Each structure stands twice: as structure tokens, then as C-alpha cells.
């Protein structure tokens, strides 16, 4: 899951080297902390937040299969 | 940019560098050895043709999410039609009102367009979109007929933005009816009404 987020985000940004994803797993929920380089925040969020929303929707569906909840935090 | 040249001390290193430049995974490319000297290996790398690339990308996304998909890709004059089937997980992949399916469509298109800018692809799960589109078209047509006969307005069930577009395009083929919506957000109702101007 972490790899997938990293892969999608790296494909979209200008500075793929500065992309890191940290996974903080709890009992019922998983938090993904996504960090991107300066100026790349807009690329991850997308027009009207569409890209961020799409990524969140997909990881939510994946987590649902395991009966868990997820949060994706995006930090510049 | 579907092509890249890469160098490295070893073949593996050259491949790794090329993948970094293109920002893809090894499954998405093919490579050719250009030259091999003692301290430098040079390769040419190319992203796979659209159909194969689409297959590899979709497979990777879904498998990373823990699904075991069967992916079927067909092509017609409108572009590629990608149908995903899973065991017992289709409902999750479609999501509430097709939300997850929409997200998959968005991400897949977004990632594919980097290399194949003119590519058109329709992502579907077990034919859900096909069925839903046909159903909506038939329903819109049937209701429009009743509206034309009775001269009274009729409401459709709440539709999503994309579903509304389908109904709109179908109704634009039928003369004498118009469409408008009331309410906001999830409770928007689409109303089909007789068009007085045409009388």
C-alpha cells in the first residue's frame, strides 16, 4: 500500500527524490504521512483536490477489504 | 517522452537509473543494450505499447491494494475498454455511487497520459458502467415519452454528476423535452419537463 502511494505520487511530482511515505499502523486504522518537496503540493492535490481525493478513495477501498480505516496526510 | 537512454556501472544500475528518469516500474518498460564496456553499460529504454502498459499498470495498482483482479482489455473506435473482475470484491471496487471506480479511472488515465497523451480509456468493474449507462439511457427515453404524452414534469432518482451527463446527452436527441435540476449535492433531483417553446 505504502509502495503504491509512493509510486503514484512520484509519477506526478517534479521532485520524486523528495517524496517519502511513512506508515503509522494502529489497531483499526492506518495513517499514511506523505511528504513532498517544495512546490509539489499542488500536483498531489490536483485541480479542485481531484488527485488527492482519488488517491484517498483508492486506499480507503483497499483498507476496507481488510476492515480498516485509513487517513492520508499530505505535508509539504 | 516514452524513450530514455541510461547508463550505469552495471546493467542493473543502468536499468535502475532509466526507471528513475521515466518514473516507472520495470514491468512497464522494455530495454535494449546499446553498449557494454568495463565500467559503463548503456541502454535504451522504452515504455511498453499502450495496451500492455495499461494492463501492467492496472494490475500493479489493484494488486498493491490486495485485490486479485482479472483484467480484460478490448479496443474499439472510442478507445480502450478495460474491464476488471475480482472474486467477491467488485462492490468495493465500484464503491458508493461508483466513487471508487471513478478514482481508479482518474488515476489510471492520469498515469497513462504521461506517455500516451492521446490515449482514451474507459475503466469498468464487471461491466457496471456499461449496465448503468444503458439503464439510464433507456429510463430517460421512457420517462421522456411519458412526459411528452401527458405534458407533465417527472423527476428521476438522484443522479451523480456523470450520470446526469448521460441523461442529458440522451435527452438532447429527443425533441420537445427539457431537463433541469433542483436541490444541491447528493439530493439533487433531475426533472424532465415538456419544452413549451417547441409547440
Amino acid at each position: 500500500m505504502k509502495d503504491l502511494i509512493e509510486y503514484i505520487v512520484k509519477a506526478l511530482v517534479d521532485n520524486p527524490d523528495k517524496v517519502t511515505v511513512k506508515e503509522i499502523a494502529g489497531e483499526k486504522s492506518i495513517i499514511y504521512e506523505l511528504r513532498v518537496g517544495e512546490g509539489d503540493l499542488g500536483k498531489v492535490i490536483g485541480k479542485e483536490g481531484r488527485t488527492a481525493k482519488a488517491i484517498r478513495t483508492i486506499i480507503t477501498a483497499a483498507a476496507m477489504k481488510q476492515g480498516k480505516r485509513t487517513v492520508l496526510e499530505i505535508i509539504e | 517522452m516514452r524513450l530514455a537512454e541510461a547508463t550505469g556501472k552495471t546493467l542493473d544500475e543502468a536499468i535502475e537509473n532509466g526507471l528513475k528518469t521515466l518514473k516507472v516500474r520495470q514491468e512497464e518498460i522494455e530495454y535494449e543494450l546499446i553498449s557494454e564496456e568495463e565500467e559503463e553499460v548503456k541502454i535504451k529504454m522504452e515504455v511498453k505499447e499502450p495496451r500492455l502498459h495499461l494492463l501492467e499498470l492496472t494490475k500493479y495498482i489493484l494488486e498493491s491494494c490486495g485485490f486479485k483482479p482479472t483484467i480484460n482489455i478490448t479496443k474499439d473506435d472510442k478507445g480502450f475498454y478495460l474491464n476488471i473482475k475480482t472474486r467477491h470484491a467488485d462492490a468495493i471496487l465500484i464503491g458508493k455511487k461508483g466513487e471508487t471506480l471513478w478514482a481508479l479511472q482518474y488515476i489510471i488515465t492520469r498515469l497513462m497520459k504521461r506517455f500516451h497523451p492521446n490515449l482514451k480509456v474507459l475503466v469498468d468493474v464487471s461491466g457496471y458502467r456499461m449496465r448503468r449507462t444503458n439503464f439510464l439511457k433507456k429510463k430517460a427515453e421512457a420517462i421522456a415519452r411519458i412526459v411528452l404524452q401527458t405534458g407533465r414534469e417527472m423527476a428521476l432518482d438522484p443522479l451523480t454528476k456523470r450520470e446526469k451527463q448521460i441523461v442529458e446527452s440522451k435527452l438532447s436527441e429527443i425533441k420537445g423535452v427539457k431537463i433541469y435540476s433542483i436541490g444541491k449535492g447528493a439530493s439533487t433531483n433531475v426533472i424532465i419537463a415538456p419544452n413549451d417553446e417547441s409547440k
Side-chain angles (χ1 to χ4, degrees), chain A residues 7 10-11 13 51 61-62 65, chain B residues 23 28 57 66-67 106 110:
Chain A
Y7 168 79
K10 275 186 176 170
V13 299
T51 310
K65 201 167 173 279
Chain B
K23 299 195 274 189
E28 298 172 61
L57 181 71
F67 297 103
Y106 180 88
R110 192 70 202 278

Side-chain angles (χ1 to χ4, degrees), chain B residues 21-38:
Chain B
T21 320
L22 288 173
K23 299 195 274 189
V24 291
R25 296 167 58 252
Q26 192 159 356
E27 286 81 354
E28 298 172 61
I29 54 105
E30 267 150 15
Y31 67 85
E32 232 174 81
L33 201 63
I34 297 179
S35 64
E36 193 171 7
E37 280 152 36
E38 207 167 306

Side-chain angles (χ1 to χ4, degrees), chain B residues 8-199:
Chain B
K9 277 181 193 156
T10 59
L11 180 62
D12 285 347
E13 203 183 292
I15 293 174
E16 201 180 300
N17 286 337
L19 293 177
K20 244 186 189 169
T21 320
L22 288 173
K23 299 195 274 189
V24 291
R25 296 167 58 252
Q26 192 159 356
E27 286 81 354
E28 298 172 61
I29 54 105
E30 267 150 15
Y31 67 85
E32 232 174 81
L33 201 63
I34 297 179
S35 64
E36 193 171 7
E37 280 152 36
E38 207 167 306
E39 279 289 285
E40 197 188 68
V41 180
K42 205 174 193 179
I43 56 164
K44 201 174 93 182
M45 201 175 254
E46 189 180 5
V47 174
K48 284 181 181 168
E49 50 107 1
R51 182 195 289 264
L52 264 178
H53 190 197
L54 198 56
L55 182 71
E56 290 294 348
L57 181 71
T58 313
K59 214 169 101 189
Y60 172 65
I61 294 177
L62 293 174
E63 282 176 357
S64 313
C65 291
F67 297 103
K68 292 188 187 78
T70 314
I71 300 162
N72 188 13
I73 301 177
T74 52
K75 196 183 178 193
D76 61 12
D77 51 334
K78 279 185 222 151
F80 288 104
Y81 174 70
L82 189 152
N83 198 9
I84 302 162
K85 274 189 190 136
T86 59
R87 283 191 172 190
H88 317 301
D90 287 349
I92 294 179
L93 278 182
I94 293 168
K96 237 186 253 167
K97 292 190 174 176
E99 219 176 36
T100 312
L101 180 52
W102 170 83
L104 280 172
Q105 165 89 54
Y106 180 88
I107 293 289
I108 292 171
T109 320
R110 192 70 202 278
L111 294 180
M112 287 296 291
K113 288 248 160 141
R114 289 179 299 156
F115 305 108
H116 320 280
N118 299 318
L119 181 92
K120 284 215 170 87
V121 54
L122 183 75
V123 181
D124 206 345
V125 174
S126 284
Y128 169 81
R129 274 172 86 169
M130 283 286 192
R131 280 201 309 275
R132 186 81 186 147
T133 307
N134 288 338
F135 167 77
L136 283 173
K137 279 185 184 164
K138 274 194 193 137
K139 190 170 180 183
E141 212 180 343
I143 290 188
R145 216 175 297 135
I146 300 174
V147 169
L148 283 175
Q149 271 173 11
T150 61
R152 267 201 228 139
E153 297 184 351
M154 276 182 87
L156 290 172
D157 296 330
L159 302 173
T160 66
K161 238 190 271 169
R162 278 164 279 276
E163 289 172 342
K164 196 183 151 196
Q165 282 166 2
I166 297 169
V167 172
E168 257 167 5
S169 80
K170 184 72 204 171
L171 288 181
S172 66
E173 295 167 12
I174 304 168
K175 273 181 193 157
V177 289
K178 64 181 175 186
I179 182 172
Y180 68 93
S181 36
I182 49 168
K184 262 186 183 170
S187 58
T188 312
N189 268 340
V190 175
I191 314 275
I192 299 177
N195 194 347
D196 299 327
E197 289 161 26
S198 65
K199 276 179 189 169

Side-chain angles (χ1 to χ4, degrees), chain A residues 40-75:
Chain A
D40 277 338
L41 195 62
K43 294 221 167 62
V44 183
I45 293 173
K47 234 184 256 166
E48 289 169 12
R50 269 181 231 162
T51 310
K53 192 181 162 200
I55 298 173
R56 285 190 175 120
T57 307
I58 290 174
I59 62 170
T60 305
M64 205 199 284
K65 201 167 173 279
Q66 302 163 18
K68 284 189 175 174
R69 292 167 159 273
T70 54
V71 179
L72 175 70
E73 278 179 40
I74 306 170
I75 306 157

